[in-house]
Amino acid sequence: MTAALELRDVRKNFGRTEIIRGVDLNIAPGERHALIGPNGAGKSTTFNLISGRMAPSSGTVKLNGVEIGGLPPYKINRMGLSRSFQVTNIFHRLSVFENLRCSVLWSLGYRYSFWHRLEQLRDARERAEEVLELIGLQGRHDTLAGLLTYAEQRALEIGITIAGGAEVILLDEPTAGMSRSESDHAVELIRRVTVGKTLVMVEHDMSVVFGLADRISVLVYGEVIATDTPQAIRNNRRVKEAYLGTTLDEPAGAH
Ligand SMILES: Nc1ncnc2c1ncn2[C@@H]1O[C@H](COP(=O)(O)OP(=O)(O)OP(=O)(O)O)[C@@H](O)[C@H]1O
Ligand SMILES: [Mg+2]
């Protein structure tokens, strides 16, 4: 079976410093995969290399078997991969609905056209309504995104990420800064919106990781030191060493 996402010996230098030092990842279609590791390990950089924000210095990145390394983000997005950011990426002065519709239109390529076809606008509206419901923010349809609570903004961020219909979803710390009950709620939301899709998620909160992931990869200083099931990762000696001083089953804020 062709991997949904495959990285082979991916490297990235910033100046003379090699930050990503030969990463291999193989993520099956429909898998929920968590990328964990200490601060500064290179998790967000890995996402930047996959989503096209940065080009790898070497190595290959394949989406459904097609090389995407070095392509611009919008092309990778049109090929079915969408990512969220560690810091929220919403338009604060647009309404919740408008944020979602923007995302749908963008994924259809509307940035480049001025004369919109009406039926496509209607499709975009319907899709935005659908996502609004999926993320549970129907009651916030016309609220300016900047006025949402933090947890609602993160839910909207997830909605924006999935609105275009991408099959491979990358989420960077979707529950960062949330209370226990907010992140429990976010886990349910992530589960719901990624049914039948492939998910790769950077996450520090181990209860979120162990609650969602089919498999986990551990990144330390730009290298994947282990990829395995949650149970095997929990018992992995190298992983335990990398997390010295913390416990992998600690509920929150394990970094
Ligand atoms: N554009 C850049 N130029 C130079 N160095 C960078 C750049 N982006 C990231 N780095 C460095 O690369 C390393 C990895 O950063 P990255 O943000 O990928 O880590 P991370 O695993 O996402 O950490 P965190 O858990 O804190 O989010 C860090 O040392 C960071 O300072
Ligand atoms: Mg990061």
Side-chain angles (χ1 to χ4, degrees):
M1 188 169 44
T2 309
L5 195 61
E6 185 190 74
L7 278 67
R8 278 283 161 269
D9 198 23
V10 169
R11 295 171 185 271
K12 180 67 181 175
N13 309 312
F14 292 120
R16 285 171 157 190
T17 319
E18 194 172 41
I19 295 291
I20 302 298
R21 305 189 299 154
V23 163
D24 290 333
L25 284 176
N26 202 310
I27 296 160
E31 178 176 349
R32 293 197 180 102
H33 199 98
L35 186 60
I36 68 171
N39 292 114
K43 304 179 297 294
S44 295
T45 303
T46 301
F47 270 19
N48 289 337
L49 297 172
I50 296 170
S51 64
R53 209 176 193 207
M54 294 170 180
S57 303
S58 66
T60 58
V61 182
K62 288 183 179 174
L63 177 66
N64 300 316
V66 179
E67 174 71 48
I68 58 165
L71 290 181
Y74 78 92
K75 282 199 179 152
I76 295 172
N77 187 272
R78 304 267 155 81
M79 291 165 77
L81 182 140
S82 181
R83 78 169 285 189
S84 76
F85 289 88
Q86 191 166 349
V87 177
T88 57
N89 195 34
I90 59 181
F91 296 114
H92 287 243
R93 301 180 72 170
L94 293 184
S95 74
V96 169
F97 172 75
E98 286 162 340
N99 265 278
L100 291 170
R101 193 174 55 174
C102 263
S103 173
V104 177
L105 290 174
W106 192 87
S107 74
L108 293 171
Y110 268 93
R111 292 192 298 167
Y112 301 109
S113 70
F114 183 74
W115 302 105
H116 302 156
R117 290 191 22 232
L118 277 173
E119 86 241 34
Q120 285 179 323
L121 281 176
R122 192 182 55 229
D123 288 350
R125 190 185 67 221
E126 282 169 10
R127 173 67 185 153
E129 301 279 6
E130 208 178 286
V131 176
L132 192 67
E133 221 175 292
L134 201 58
I135 61 174
L137 292 183
Q138 309 91 306
R140 300 296 223 171
H141 191 284
D142 297 320
T143 305
L144 292 184
L147 299 178
L148 296 175
T149 67
Y150 177 74
E152 286 172 332
Q153 287 186 356
R154 299 304 309 231
L156 176 57
E157 173 96 27
I158 290 171
I160 289 169
T161 310
I162 61 144
E167 290 298 318
V168 179
I169 308 290
L170 270 50
L171 301 178
D172 198 349
E173 301 200 27
T175 74
M178 288 187 181
S179 70
R180 179 82 269 131
S181 74
E182 285 170 341
S183 70
D184 287 346
H185 186 244
V187 167
E188 282 322 303
L189 171 63
I190 293 166
R191 208 191 294 283
R192 195 159 66 232
V193 301
T194 57
V195 167
K197 297 179 190 286
T198 308
L199 171 69
V200 190
M201 172 184 57
V202 169
E203 184 57 65
H204 282 293
D205 182 332
M206 289 305 149
S207 68
V208 172
V209 169
F210 287 104
L212 267 172
D214 301 314
R215 289 195 308 153
I216 299 171
S217 289
V218 185
L219 192 70
V220 179
Y221 292 120
E223 284 180 289
V224 174
I225 62 162
T227 294
D228 221 321
T229 61
Q231 198 48 47
I233 288 294
R234 220 191 269 269
N235 298 323
N236 183 298
R237 187 180 52 81
R238 287 188 73 192
V239 176
K240 281 185 189 165
E241 282 166 13
Y243 274 88
L244 211 63
T246 65
T247 55
L248 277 180
D249 43 16
E250 198 177 351
H255 56 294

